[in-house]
Amino acid sequence: MDFSEFFTWMHRFRASANSYLSQFEPLSLIFVPILTLLVARIIQSIFRVFSEKGFKASILGFFFTFVKSVPGVKNYMDREKQKVVTKLQASGKSKREGWRNELPRAGLGGMVIEKMKDEKQNDAAWQGKCSGTVYIGGNEYEGHFSLINEACSMFAHTNPLHLDVFQSVVRFEAEVVAMTAALLGSREKSSGGQICGNMTSGGTESILLAVKASRDYMKAKMGITRPEMIIPASAHSAYDKAAHYFNIKLWRVAVNKDFRADVKAIKRHISRNTILIVGSAPGFPHGIIDPIEELGELATTLRICFHVDLCLGGFVLPFARKLGYPVPPFDFSVQGVTSISVDVHKYGLAPKGTSVVLYRDHDIRKHQFVAVTEWTGGLYVSPSIAGSRPGGLIAGAWAAMMSLGLEGYLENTRAIMEASKRIEKGVREIPDLFVVGRPDMTIVAFGSDVVDIFEVNDIMSSKGWHLNALQRPNSIHICVTLQHVPVIEDFLKDLKDSVQTVKANPGPISGGLAPIYGAAGKIPDRVMVEDLLVDFMDTSY
C-alpha cells in the first residue's frame, strides 16, 4: 500500500466514523469514554485488592468498611477499642505518673547513679523468669555480665563512623563479622569464599538491610520495579516492617502441618516480580527449622534472592551440630542462600543492640550501602541505617566472642539444649497440654485443647513468669536461656499447677489479658486489631 492508497483509506474511514457517530449527542461522546475509563480503573483497583489480599480477606475488608460507615457504629467501635487499650495500659499508666518532663534546675552530678539504682529497683525480677530477654547466665554484677559491661564502658565514647580515628573498633567489627561468618559456612567451598557483612543494632535492622539490598540488587540485575517477597506465616514481623518501609508487596504463606515453611505453597506465589523468599532457622514462634535446602534449590532455579533468619539460631545451631544434635543444613553451605541475619546479643551473649547481617558476595552487599555526593557537608557513605553507631556495643560483642571461644559456646549450647529437651519432655507429660510441632532448638511452644492457654499464661504471670503469647494456634512459648538452666523444675511445677488452677476455676483472672488475646485472635477484621495495637503503642510512650 502506497501513501495515496493509505490517505484514501483514512479519508473513507473518517467519513464512515463521522457518519456513524453523528447519531449520538456530542456530550455523550465526551462523557461515555471518561466514564468507561473510570469504571475500568475501579474494576482494576478491585481486582488488585483481591489479588493482594485474597478473596476472603477482601470481602471481609469491604464488609467492615461498609459497617464502619454506618452512623454511630464507628463511634461505638472507637469507644470499645479505647476500653481495650486502657486495660492493656492499666498497670503502666499509674507507674508513669510523676515521670520527669523537663531538665532539673540543678544537675544531680554523681548522685544520678544513686537515682538510677533506685529506679532499677522497680524493674521486674527477671532472673530465670523471662522467655528469652536475658541470655547470659548468672548474676548481672559478676562473671560474663561484668566483662562485657567493662568492655562497653571502655569504648563508650567511640563511633566506627570515624574510620580514621577509632581504628580499634573498626577492627573489632570486622573480626566479629568474620568470626560469625566462619560459624555459618564461609570456609566451605560451596560458599564461594566471598562472604561479607556488617554489624547492626539488632535482628530487625539486619533483616531490613538484607531486604533493602535484595530489592535493589534484583532491580539492578533483573529490572524488577514492583518488588514482592514471600515469607512463611512463622517468619518474624521485621519483614512486615521492611515491606512497609521499602514499598514491597509481602505475601505471608501458611506453614505446613509440621509448622515448617511450605515450599510448594511458596512456589505457587512466585511471580516475575518476586525478589526474595525467606526461611528461618529456627522460627521465633515454635523453634522449628524451615526446609532451607529445598528453599535454596527453589531460589537457585528461579534466580531470586533467599534470606535465612538465624537471629536465634546463629550462635546455637553450629555448636549443636558439633555436639551431635540432628541439625539440617541452614547456612551459606546451602546453594541459593544470598543473605543471613544473626543476633550476637542473643545466644552470642553480647550486649543488647548487636547483630550481624551477612551476604554471599560483595555484589549484593553493595546495594545495602547509601552514598551521598551532593551534600554540602561533603561526601558521605554509610553501611547501615544508623550513621553514628555505638562503638562500645561493638567492643562488647567482640569481648563476648573472644572471652567464650569455641569451648565456651559448646558448653553453653550443651546446657541450653539439654534444658530445652527437659522442658519439652516435662510439658508433654502434662496431660492437658500439647507441644506445637517438634522443636529443633531452644524454644518450646505449647497449647491446650482442654483449658484456655491464655488463662494459663495469666496464672503463670501472677507467679512471676514472663512468657510469649502466640496465635494460630493459640499457644505460649518459652525461649530457653542460660538463666533457665537452674530453674527448670520450678517452671514445670508452676506450669502444672497453673493448668490445674485454670481447669478447676476456668475464666479470666482480675487484670489478666486472656480475654484480650483470645478476642484478638478471633476478630476477622485485622485492620481493627492493627488500629488497636497502634493506639496502644501511640499512648505508651
Side-chain angles (χ1 to χ4, degrees):
M1 178 182 292
D2 57 25
F3 280 110
S4 62
E5 291 176 334
F6 175 75
F7 283 120
T8 300
W9 180 85
M10 284 293 296
H11 178 73
R12 290 174 180 172
F13 174 78
R14 186 184 67 176
S16 176
N18 287 335
S19 175
Y20 175 76
L21 294 174
S22 65
Q23 61 184 309
F24 299 101
E25 289 285 339
L27 285 177
S28 298
L29 297 178
I30 296 174
F31 287 113
V32 167
I34 295 174
L35 182 62
T36 302
L37 180 62
L38 288 174
V39 171
R41 290 298 297 271
I42 292 171
I43 293 174
Q44 182 187 40
S45 299
I46 292 173
F47 271 107
R48 182 174 296 173
V49 170
F50 275 88
S51 174
E52 292 181 352
K53 296 185 177 181
F55 181 80
K56 182 179 179 181
S58 299
I59 293 296
L60 286 172
F62 289 136
F63 173 75
F64 284 112
T65 300
F66 170 75
V67 169
K68 291 174 188 176
S69 67
V70 176
V73 172
K74 185 179 185 301
N75 290 337
Y76 171 77
M77 294 175 70
D78 287 343
R79 288 195 300 270
E80 292 302 308
K81 185 172 63 176
Q82 187 56 47
K83 290 178 183 178
V84 175
V85 172
T86 301
K87 184 170 183 178
L88 286 170
Q89 295 175 328
S91 59
K93 269 196 169 178
S94 59
K95 293 176 183 176
R96 288 196 296 276
E97 292 177 1
W99 283 13
R100 182 173 293 279
N101 53 26
E102 60 182 0
L103 284 169
R105 177 176 292 276
L108 300 181
M111 290 299 294
V112 72
I113 300 299
E114 295 303 317
K115 173 69 173 172
M116 294 174 75
K117 289 179 179 179
D118 290 341
E119 290 295 332
K120 198 170 186 291
Q121 298 303 312
N122 295 322
D123 291 349
W126 52 263
Q127 291 85 350
K129 290 284 190 175
C130 295
S131 172
T133 311
V134 179
Y135 291 77
I136 302 170
N139 187 295
E140 62 180 306
Y141 299 108
E142 59 188 26
H144 191 78
F145 275 109
S146 179
L147 183 143
I148 63 171
N149 286 342
E150 184 175 350
C152 289
S153 176
M154 189 186 305
F155 291 88
H157 61 286
T158 65
N159 180 0
L161 181 67
H162 304 285
L163 296 169
D164 56 332
V165 179
F166 301 114
Q167 297 179 26
S168 56
V169 172
V170 173
R171 174 179 176 175
F172 292 156
E173 178 174 7
E175 292 189 356
V176 167
V177 170
M179 289 188 289
T180 303
L183 293 175
L184 302 176
S186 69
R187 295 190 173 186
E188 300 290 333
K189 187 176 181 181
S190 57
S191 74
Q194 294 190 51
I195 308 301
C196 54
N198 294 90
M199 290 190 69
T200 72
S201 62
T204 293
E205 186 183 358
S206 291
I207 288 171
L208 288 175
L209 290 173
V211 172
K212 189 266 183 190
S214 299
R215 182 199 66 174
D216 293 355
Y217 174 79
M218 292 296 285
K219 180 179 180 180
K221 295 293 183 181
M222 307 298 290
I224 296 175
T225 57
R226 297 180 62 183
E228 300 179 1
M229 64 177 170
I230 308 164
I231 67 174
S234 56
H236 197 273
S237 56
Y239 298 101
D240 295 82
K241 283 187 178 181
H244 180 78
Y245 292 159
F246 303 135
N247 196 27
I248 299 172
K249 169 59 188 170
L250 178 67
W251 294 100
R252 271 194 179 271
V253 179
V255 293
N256 63 22
K257 60 182 177 62
D258 298 320
F259 298 94
R260 304 181 193 279
D262 188 329
V263 180
K264 291 182 179 178
I266 288 174
K267 185 177 181 180
R268 286 195 297 270
H269 279 77
I270 290 176
S271 71
R272 63 184 180 181
N273 291 320
T274 302
I275 60 165
L276 177 69
I277 59 175
V278 167
S280 303
F284 167 80
H286 312 123
I288 295 173
I289 299 174
D290 288 328
I292 303 301
E293 280 189 308
E294 293 179 50
L295 290 168
E297 183 179 345
L298 181 62
T300 301
T301 301
L302 299 177
R303 299 175 62 196
I304 57 179
C305 294
F306 174 31
H307 181 78
V308 178
D309 182 359
L310 275 160
C311 288
L312 270 171
F315 280 85
V316 174
L317 294 179
F319 307 109
R321 183 164 52 190
K322 288 180 180 294
L323 292 171
Y325 285 92
V327 177
F330 59 87
D331 54 21
F332 283 114
S333 63
V334 177
Q335 287 300 310
V337 174
T338 53
S339 57
I340 286 176
S341 52
V342 50
D343 285 354
V344 197
H345 66 203
K346 289 189 173 74
Y347 293 106
L349 308 190
K352 291 299 180 186
T354 52
S355 179
V356 171
V357 58
L358 298 169
Y359 299 94
R360 183 170 287 274
D361 57 50
H362 292 268
D363 284 345
I364 302 174
R365 184 176 72 151
K366 286 177 182 177
H367 293 280
Q368 170 186 301
F369 304 151
V370 174
V372 181
T373 61
E374 301 300 324
W375 180 34
T376 57
L379 301 178
Y380 178 88
V381 63
S382 173
S384 61
I385 292 175
S388 294
R389 292 183 292 150
L393 296 182
I394 293 171
W398 186 85
M401 295 178 71
M402 292 294 289
S403 67
L404 288 166
L406 175 63
E407 292 182 359
Y409 282 118
L410 284 170
E411 181 181 343
N412 290 339
T413 299
R414 180 181 288 108
I416 57 175
M417 288 294 286
E418 289 177 356
S420 301
K421 296 303 178 185
R422 286 171 59 193
I423 289 177
E424 180 186 351
K425 181 176 181 294
V427 172
R428 291 187 187 278
E429 290 174 351
I430 299 175
D432 300 313
L433 298 181
F434 62 83
V435 173
V436 179
R438 300 188 66 83
D440 291 304
M441 214 185 82
T442 53
I443 291 175
V444 182
F446 47 92
S448 176
D449 295 322
V450 180
V451 296
D452 186 328
I453 197 64
F454 296 137
E455 291 180 10
V456 173
N457 191 33
D458 282 344
I459 300 296
M460 289 291 284
S461 296
S462 71
K463 296 176 182 290
W465 297 94
H466 301 268
L467 308 179
N468 294 97
L470 313 172
Q471 60 179 350
R472 300 175 184 175
N474 287 352
S475 49
I476 54 179
H477 85 204
I478 181 170
C479 177
V480 182
T481 74
L482 291 172
Q483 287 285 328
H484 299 121
V485 174
V487 298
I488 295 172
E489 297 307 320
D490 293 339
F491 171 78
L492 291 173
K493 180 182 183 302
D494 283 350
L495 179 59
K496 186 175 181 179
D497 290 347
S498 297
V499 170
Q500 292 303 315
T501 298
V502 173
K503 193 173 181 180
N505 302 282
I509 64 173
S510 176
L513 299 179
I516 295 176
Y517 281 121
K522 296 175 182 177
I523 295 175
D525 183 9
R526 305 315 289 174
V527 174
M528 184 188 301
V529 180
E530 290 175 10
D531 289 344
L532 189 152
L533 293 174
V534 169
D535 286 349
F536 168 70
M537 182 58 63
D538 187 48
T539 54
S540 294
Y541 291 93

